[in-house]
């Protein structure tokens, strides 16, 4: 992942049976931060997201709403899933729907190839199926409640709803043949599945032995037709996983595919198995390189449980952004939760961090420095004199934070990257408190020192704007404009991130403009 190399990042494609909640927005934001970071580092970046529209779950939801599945999917994509991207400021390069023709054509080609190469056979499937998960289940993945609505029935542990018993003639993918190769993959590429907790779980799962996978259904027809037997449709997960390749030219544009592939996949840990077991096995069978990485992030918990619509704990992203704004949404979830671990959401924590870190820590710093430049230098960034120890310390902090943040982003440790960048916020706040520019301003004899102090603060803000722009793009764009940096240095998003720590980029003599509060006080009643 050096400069100019390919960085292709994906989110799971979301089911259109329901509207998004903050758990879905969380994955989008994480992928977006990584994509913006890499784009701004000069990497050949591509960010894909989209929707998963086939299968029984969508079919049933559409039918229950008196609509055709395609019509239902169109409605949800336009009214809920695409708007989500605006709500949290997502900079995706493409949006794939599994009902797109480009996808359907390439899935058909992929499957035909597996069939021609002997990886698929006809058989009989008999077992449990959870429509909520769209997954075949083993007995140990089910509960038998002792009371309540489903007493005595077998229910899925994830959805707490009864599973169905399937007995169908299906086509099977010889996944069991890839057991050894998968174990070799996890061994030889230890960061293929991350974090470690998810990697260990996957290895344990595969070590217990893999069965073949039923990859077609014949009891309904909402799906992509199996090319050699149109009485079957492709199993929804087999269809869905392929989106990552069909969106970048698999089976249709080899040159594009070679440029983008392999990908970095961000997924919730609940669907890591599909991505780290079934998906690489499918690719191996087709002779396609496996992804660079499958990163299984944790869950957002509400009241200690995975937040979900089906359990009525879903919170709509706009409930947060309407009050706090999209930057605060992005910052909060990336900072408060170690990426890879579960995290509890609470309004109190969100409010507290908004006030302490964004409004007081960063926002105030920016407003104060700009206001002092206006007051003491008539809005012009002064030239700095020779730096003393404290000024050099600021420079060093900025350089180290840039290096540490980049290293953390390469590991997908977004929270660590933010913590590194925040050292600059804290350093600058401490520097201003110590240097007391307002006291220096009282004595003309301290003018040279005042110049150095305010240049140092302004240049520190320049670096902060660049480093934080992937996380809080709106606030940093305002700060960039107020610093007068656009004319002098060009667009904020064109500033090379890995160069952000190089001191002295902001030229003396540029004019700053008044800056409105980046993170205004929230009316407590609204929050
Ligand atoms: N359609 C499949 C994915 C196919 S990818 C080839 C799917 N869709 S989903 O809409 O149900 O879920 C999408 C993602 O949202 C999953 O990664 C899931 O983990 C994530 N989340 C759902 N609830 C979540 C939380 N409460 N917290 C964090 N992520 C959550 O699965």
């Amino acid at each position: 992942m050096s400069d100019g190399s390919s960085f292709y990042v994906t989110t799971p494609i979301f089911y259109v049976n329901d509207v998004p909640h903050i758990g879905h927005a969380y994955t989008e934001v994480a992928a977006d931060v990584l994509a913006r970071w890499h784009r701004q580092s000069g990497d050949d970046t591509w960010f894909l997201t989209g929707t998963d529209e086939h299968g029984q779950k969508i079919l049933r939801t559409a039918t229950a709403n008196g609509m055709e599945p395609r019509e239902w999917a169109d409605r949800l994509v336009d009214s809920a899933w695409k708007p989500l991207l605006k709500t949290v400021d997502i900079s995706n390069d493409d949006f794939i729907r599994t009902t797109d023709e480009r996808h359907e054509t390439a899935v058909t080609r992929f499957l035909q190839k597996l069939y021609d190469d002997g990886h698929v056979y006809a058989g009989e499937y008999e077992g449990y199926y959870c429509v909520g998960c769209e997954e075949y289940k083993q007995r140990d993945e089910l509960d038998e409640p002792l009371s309540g609505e489903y007493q005595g029935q077998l229910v899925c542990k994830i959805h707490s709803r009864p599973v169905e018993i399937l007995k169908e003639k299906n086509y099977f993918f010889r996944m069991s043949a890839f057991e050894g190769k998968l174990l070799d993959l996890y061994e030889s590429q230890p960061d293929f599945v991350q974090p470690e907790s998810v990697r260990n779980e996957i290895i344990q799962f595969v070590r217990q032995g893999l069965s073949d996978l039923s990859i077609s259904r014949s009891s309904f027809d909402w799906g992509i037709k199996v090319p050699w037997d149109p009485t079957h449709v492709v199993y929804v997960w087999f269809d869905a996983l392929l989106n990552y390749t069909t969106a970048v030219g698999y089976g249709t544009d080899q040159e594009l595919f070679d440029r983008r592939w392999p990908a970095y996949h961000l997924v919730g840990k609940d669907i890591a198995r599909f991505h780290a077991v079934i998906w690489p096995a499918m690719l191996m069978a087709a002779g396609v390189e496996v992804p660079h990485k499958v990163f299984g992030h944790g869950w957002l918990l509400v009241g200690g449980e995975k937040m979900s619509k089906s359990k009525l704990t879903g919170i709509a992203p706009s409930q947060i952004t309407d009050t706090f704004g999209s930057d605060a949404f992005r910052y909060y979830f990336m900072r408060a939760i170690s990426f890879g671990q579960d995290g509890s959401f609470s309004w109190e924590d969100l409010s507290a961090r908004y006030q302490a870190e964004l409004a007081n820590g960063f926002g105030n710093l920016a407003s104060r420095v700009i206001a002092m430049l206006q007051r003491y230098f008539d809005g012009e960034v002064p030239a700095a004199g020779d730096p003393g120890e404290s000024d050099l310390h600021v420079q060093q902090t900025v350089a180290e934070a840039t290096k540490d943040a980049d290293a953390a982003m390469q590991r997908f440790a977004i929270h660590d990257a933010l913590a590194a960048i925040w050292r600059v916020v804290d350093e600058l706040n401490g520097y201003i408190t110590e240097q007391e520019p307002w006291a220096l301003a009282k004595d003309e004899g301290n003018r040279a020192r005042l110049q150095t102090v305010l240049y140092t603060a302004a240049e520190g803000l320049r670096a902060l704007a660049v480093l934080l722009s992937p996380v809080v793009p709106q606030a940093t764009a305002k700060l960039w404009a107020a610093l007068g940096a656009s004319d002098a240095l060009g667009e904020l998003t064109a500033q090379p991130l890995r160069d952000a720590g190089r001191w002295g980029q902001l030229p003396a003599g540029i004019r700053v403009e008044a800056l409105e509060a980046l993170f205004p006080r929230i009316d407590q009643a609204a929050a």
Side-chain angles (χ1 to χ4, degrees), residues 26 298-302 305 333 336-338 341-346:
Y26 177 61
W299 288 338
L300 299 191
L301 309 175
V302 170
E305 265 202 68
F333 286 105
I337 302 170
S338 296
Q341 321 240 302
D342 291 349
S344 293
F345 168 77
S346 83

Side-chain angles (χ1 to χ4, degrees), residues 110 113-114 117 119 282-289:
F110 184 96
K113 177 170 169 48
L114 255 52
D117 293 347
H119 295 290
M282 285 165 62
L283 291 167
M284 285 170 178
V288 178
E289 244 184 289

Side-chain angles (χ1 to χ4, degrees), residues 129-144:
Y129 193 81
C130 170
V131 176
C133 297
E134 292 282 19
E135 188 178 11
Y136 305 96
K137 295 284 177 181
Q138 300 297 321
R139 178 63 185 85
D140 63 2
E141 295 171 299
L142 308 175
D143 277 334
E144 202 173 341

Side-chain angles (χ1 to χ4, degrees), residues 12-15 21 24 52 237 244 268 270-271 300 306-307:
I13 49 172
F14 300 96
Y15 286 128
H21 59 56
H24 304 118
D52 189 353
W237 267 101
Y244 303 128
D270 51 329
I271 56 170
L300 299 191
K306 181 183 176 215
M307 187 191 51

Side-chain angles (χ1 to χ4, degrees), residues 362-379:
F362 175 49
N364 256 350
L365 169 69
S367 318
R368 284 167 78 204
V369 170
I370 296 227
M372 287 191 280
L373 286 166
Q374 291 186 305
R375 193 170 320 134
Y376 306 137
F377 292 99
D378 208 15

Side-chain angles (χ1 to χ4, degrees), residues 197-214:
S197 51
V198 177
R199 175 169 182 262
N200 292 337
E201 192 211 299
I202 295 288
I203 292 177
Q204 245 191 352
F205 173 77
V206 176
R207 278 203 188 128
Q208 284 168 7
L210 287 182
S211 355
D212 291 342
L213 178 73
S214 162

